[in-house]
Amino acid sequence: MKNLGTLFRYEMKKIWKRPLLWAALLLFCAIFVYTTARPFLPTKSGTTFTWTGLDGNEISRYITGNEQYRIRVEGARKLSGQVMDEEFFRKG
């Protein structure tokens, strides 16, 4: 038990000297930063949504990526903390 700390440090030193570990770590950090910052980056991509209204007319609207993100966040805030039971779905 006396040499457990020494053994642990030795093994960690061995692991951290591997170049593949550093490459994987840098790749993971880059992916994390990109996915975290992506909603805040300006985007020109969007999607055209088409649906049929209650009166039977077809409606089309182009929504940018930033608008889609904003709609998704606002929808989540409205639902936050509410109980999803039968009463909730009847209110509609």
Side-chain angles (χ1 to χ4, degrees):
M1 237 2 158
K2 198 173 176 182
N3 295 325
L4 185 62
T6 306
L7 179 64
F8 180 75
R9 281 191 299 273
Y10 172 75
E11 292 297 329
M12 290 304 290
K13 190 192 277 187
K14 225 168 53 172
I15 289 171
W16 284 106
K17 283 186 178 182
R18 296 181 179 173
L20 185 60
L21 176 82
W22 286 100
L25 186 66
L26 287 174
L27 179 66
F28 176 75
C29 288
I31 291 171
F32 177 77
V33 167
Y34 174 73
T35 55
T36 303
R38 195 168 114 203
F40 305 106
L41 298 174
T43 177
K44 294 182 181 177
S45 66
T47 307
T48 301
F49 289 94
T50 305
W51 65 94
T52 305
L54 295 174
D55 56 355
N57 293 332
E58 198 170 89
I59 305 166
S60 289
R61 181 167 176 227
Y62 177 79
I63 300 177
T64 65
N66 289 338
E67 286 177 310
Q68 291 176 32
Y69 174 75
R70 186 179 45 77
I71 290 168
R72 192 169 46 241
V73 168
E74 285 175 2
R77 282 190 185 134
K78 287 180 185 176
L79 293 176
S80 179
Q82 292 188 23
V83 178
M84 303 293 245
D85 57 358
E86 292 298 320
E87 181 66 30
F88 173 81
F89 291 108
R90 264 189 250 125
K91 281 194 295 187

